[in-house]
Amino acid sequence: MKIGKKIREIRQEKKTTLAAVAEKANVSKSLLSKIENGRTIPSLPVLLGIIRSLDTDLNNFFTDLSDDISYGYIHKKQKDYIPYEKEESEGFSYYSILSENIQNIALQSSILKLAPNAYREKVTTDGYTFIYLIDGEVDYVLDKESIQLKTGDSLFFDGKIPHVPQNNTANTASLLVMYLLTDIKN
């Protein structure tokens, strides 16, 4: 998960487009987008191709991607949650709580503030997704099915199913979103 964020940061610093990096790395734009958005983890050859396409030193790329678990736990205060953007959307505000790789599993936990009438296309994730509705009401669309979630409800699903949350109410909804990616390739 940290890898995708780092790729996006470098790409944006270099003021280059997703399409340009994807073409130079010989990967699809959609794959690069999924990597940047933490929806999949690249294989090592793909990752190295992306790093090369960004004209970035390999050693520098990995310097700040170390493990944060030095005492067996991680404590984060709400003020330290990091806002970030995913796919093009309106009314989706993500805040990263935790992003860790543990053995061959990547875990990304975020708070999603979903504004009334927020909009985004359906997406897929290479792993599993757990949703806990902290506050509000949300219709969670999984492929062609819509599941109504109310405060306190949860939903767990295979992220490969095209999905999108919809807030059709007048109030902002708050969701805990956890991605569990298990296809880490070394």
Side-chain angles (χ1 to χ4, degrees):
M1 300 289 195
K2 292 178 185 178
I3 289 172
K5 180 180 176 192
K6 178 93 178 219
I7 290 169
R8 177 183 299 188
E9 287 171 357
I10 293 169
R11 181 180 60 76
Q12 289 175 338
E13 283 172 12
K14 294 185 179 262
K15 296 182 178 13
T16 188
T17 65
L18 206 63
V21 172
E23 183 177 336
K24 195 171 178 185
N26 200 27
V27 298
S28 70
K29 182 179 166 187
S30 64
L31 174 61
L32 183 57
S33 176
K34 285 178 80 170
I35 293 167
E36 283 192 3
N37 289 306
R39 296 193 181 279
T40 193
I41 297 174
S43 66
L44 186 56
V46 168
L47 177 60
L48 293 176
I50 293 169
I51 293 170
R52 277 192 295 272
S53 74
L54 291 167
D55 297 321
T56 299
D57 180 71
L58 197 59
N59 292 324
N60 290 340
F61 182 85
F62 290 103
T63 55
D64 61 349
L65 293 177
S66 64
D67 240 348
D68 290 337
I69 304 177
S70 56
Y71 298 104
Y73 67 89
I74 297 171
H75 173 225
K76 288 209 176 173
K77 296 184 182 244
Q78 182 177 355
K79 67 179 180 64
D80 296 327
Y81 294 172
I82 302 166
Y84 68 99
E85 293 180 22
K86 281 189 165 280
E87 300 83 7
E88 286 188 35
S89 62
E90 290 182 30
F92 283 68
S93 300
Y94 285 93
Y95 300 89
S96 179
I97 298 173
L98 177 69
S99 181
E100 287 299 322
N101 293 336
I102 303 167
Q103 294 178 354
N104 65 340
I105 297 171
L107 172 68
Q108 167 71 48
S109 299
S110 301
I111 297 292
L112 169 58
K113 299 284 186 174
L114 194 61
N117 301 310
Y119 178 79
R120 179 191 78 201
E121 295 288 330
K122 290 180 191 170
V123 296
T124 60
T125 302
D126 290 339
Y128 297 93
T129 303
F130 174 77
I131 304 293
Y132 175 78
L133 191 58
I134 298 168
D135 187 44
E137 292 184 21
V138 170
D139 293 322
Y140 217 97
V141 180
L142 294 174
D143 199 19
K144 294 177 175 72
E145 186 173 349
S146 181
I147 301 166
Q148 186 179 39
L149 300 176
K150 294 185 178 191
T151 300
D153 290 352
S154 62
L155 178 64
F156 180 75
F157 60 92
D158 184 338
K160 291 182 177 115
I161 299 169
H163 57 275
V164 65
Q166 296 175 338
N167 182 355
N168 300 314
T169 71
N171 300 310
T172 298
S174 298
L175 301 85
L176 172 65
V177 182
M178 297 178 72
Y179 302 105
L180 183 65
L181 305 181
T182 58
D183 292 337
I184 297 178
K185 297 169 180 75
N186 294 323

